[in-house]
Amino acid sequence: MEGYTIRLVEEADESCCPKCGKHSAARSGLKLFAEEHDQPVCRTCGKKWAPTMVALLDLAVTAERVGKSCRHLLTPPMESLLDLAHAAENYSHRAPKLRAG
Ligand SMILES: [Zn+2]
């Protein structure tokens, strides 16, 4: 089975998804990569081939956004907490069950 990784892209160029050829705009941030390709996989293909990794990516992106916007607040807005809870729940549904030990 093909491996996938999440990488931080600091200087993004326009790219084409290696799976379907879909064009994506240059945007920095966390992206999903298939192990043997240098270009990030688009969200549609990611959901098809590596749904767990997409859910993890969503969780990381949501956590980053909530963390940034709530850094100076004593109590984060309910909407942010719900977004984070939703992303976490999504990931935990897709994550492989890990055995302790
Ligand atoms: Zn694609």
Side-chain angles (χ1 to χ4, degrees):
M1 205 185 111
E2 197 174 21
Y4 289 85
T5 55
I6 292 172
R7 294 186 215 161
L8 179 63
V9 177
E10 287 177 345
E11 283 174 31
D13 292 320
E14 260 190 35
S15 62
C16 288
C17 171
K19 298 285 178 198
C20 69
K22 189 180 147 193
H23 227 66
S24 70
R27 210 184 308 154
S28 58
L30 294 168
K31 309 245 186 208
L32 182 68
F33 288 82
E35 243 165 26
E36 68 271 31
H37 297 285
D38 292 335
Q39 309 259 310
V41 175
C42 76
R43 190 175 169 81
T44 308
C45 291
K47 279 192 160 178
K48 188 173 169 189
W49 299 102
T52 306
M53 294 295 272
V54 172
L56 182 59
L57 188 64
D58 285 348
L59 180 56
V61 169
T62 306
E64 192 182 14
R65 181 166 49 79
V66 170
K68 267 183 195 162
S69 63
C70 301
R71 191 180 300 159
H72 303 295
L73 301 173
L74 187 61
T75 317
M78 185 57 86
E79 195 189 335
S80 300
L81 294 178
L82 288 175
D83 280 353
L84 196 53
H86 182 72
E89 193 184 314
N90 227 344
Y91 173 67
S92 68
H93 276 302
R94 293 180 193 281
K97 300 279 174 275
L98 299 176
R99 259 183 259 162

